[in-house]
Amino acid sequence: MHAMQYELTLPADYDMEIIRARVARVGHLLDDWEGLGFKTYLMRERGVNGSPVNQYAPFYLWNTVAGMNAFLWGGAFQGLSDDFGRPSVRQWTGLSYEEGRAAGAPARWAVRRLQPVPEGAELTDVTADAVGGTELLAGQDGAVFAAAAVDTARWELVPFSLWAHESPKADGEGFAVLHASA
């Protein structure tokens, strides 16, 4: 499993209906993408649910590198780059994935946390804690799924969870889910 995300931080006065309309128009195009585990079309709106910014920030879980590469290099990503400029794309190696108690329910909210791996930490303990955290999140009411990934260039863990409601008991940045492709 590979995780991937890019963030488009938009001007404070940007009409976020443009993002909603874009996702309504093109979101379905990845519903059956070869190698894709899950794509969540995420949005934060300035002043809503405590967000300081307007942001479009899709998050992906890929089952195969070939699928991820076909998306990035095969033309699908070009449309976004043409419309908004080419964003920096973060990639993480997957550590764990657990379906939640609400697996199969429509996703309404996502939580992503960027968590530094402490210098000197025992890496096997860090991994075990991340896997255990994924299991705990997935076991909560309303959890659609939980995952954890790591960036070994920055030594950063990325717990990510998807929820059927907007008030999960998960730490991190919250995003509205506009569409989910699997």
Side-chain angles (χ1 to χ4, degrees):
M1 174 181 70
H2 304 276
M4 181 180 96
Q5 185 176 37
Y6 46 88
E7 299 173 336
L8 302 172
T9 301
L10 302 162
D13 62 348
Y14 192 84
D15 181 0
M16 295 305 283
E17 287 303 317
I18 295 169
I19 299 298
R20 287 183 183 89
R22 177 188 185 84
V23 172
R25 188 178 72 252
V26 301
H28 71 281
L29 297 175
L30 265 70
D31 285 355
D32 294 315
W33 192 273
E34 183 71 28
L36 179 66
F38 218 87
K39 176 181 180 178
T40 53
Y41 296 77
L42 305 180
M43 182 182 85
R44 295 194 302 163
E45 197 163 4
R46 185 173 187 248
V48 177
N49 292 319
S51 176
V53 296
N54 286 329
Q55 192 174 64
Y56 177 51
F59 190 94
Y60 304 72
L61 292 176
W62 292 98
N63 293 328
T64 69
V65 173
M68 181 174 64
N69 286 340
F71 171 76
L72 288 171
W73 302 103
F77 186 67
Q78 190 65 51
L80 178 112
S81 295
D82 290 347
D83 290 347
F84 295 99
R86 187 179 340 142
S88 175
V89 179
R90 299 277 318 268
Q91 296 181 32
W92 301 275
T93 301
L95 294 175
S96 61
Y97 171 89
E98 292 286 332
E99 289 204 353
R101 293 176 68 180
R108 297 188 59 217
W109 196 250
V111 177
R112 183 209 61 197
R113 186 172 43 148
L114 303 175
Q115 174 184 340
V117 175
E119 185 66 37
E122 191 68 35
L123 298 178
T124 55
D125 293 341
V126 170
T127 301
D129 289 347
V131 170
T134 300
E135 292 170 356
L136 286 174
L137 281 173
Q140 291 187 30
D141 285 335
V144 175
F145 76 73
V150 66
D151 176 343
T152 55
R154 296 181 189 209
W155 289 106
E156 177 179 73
L157 286 172
V158 183
F160 181 82
S161 50
L162 204 57
W163 301 86
H165 54 77
E166 287 189 23
S167 301
K169 294 179 181 170
D171 294 330
E173 294 176 300
F175 298 85
V177 177
L178 302 178
H179 180 75
S181 295

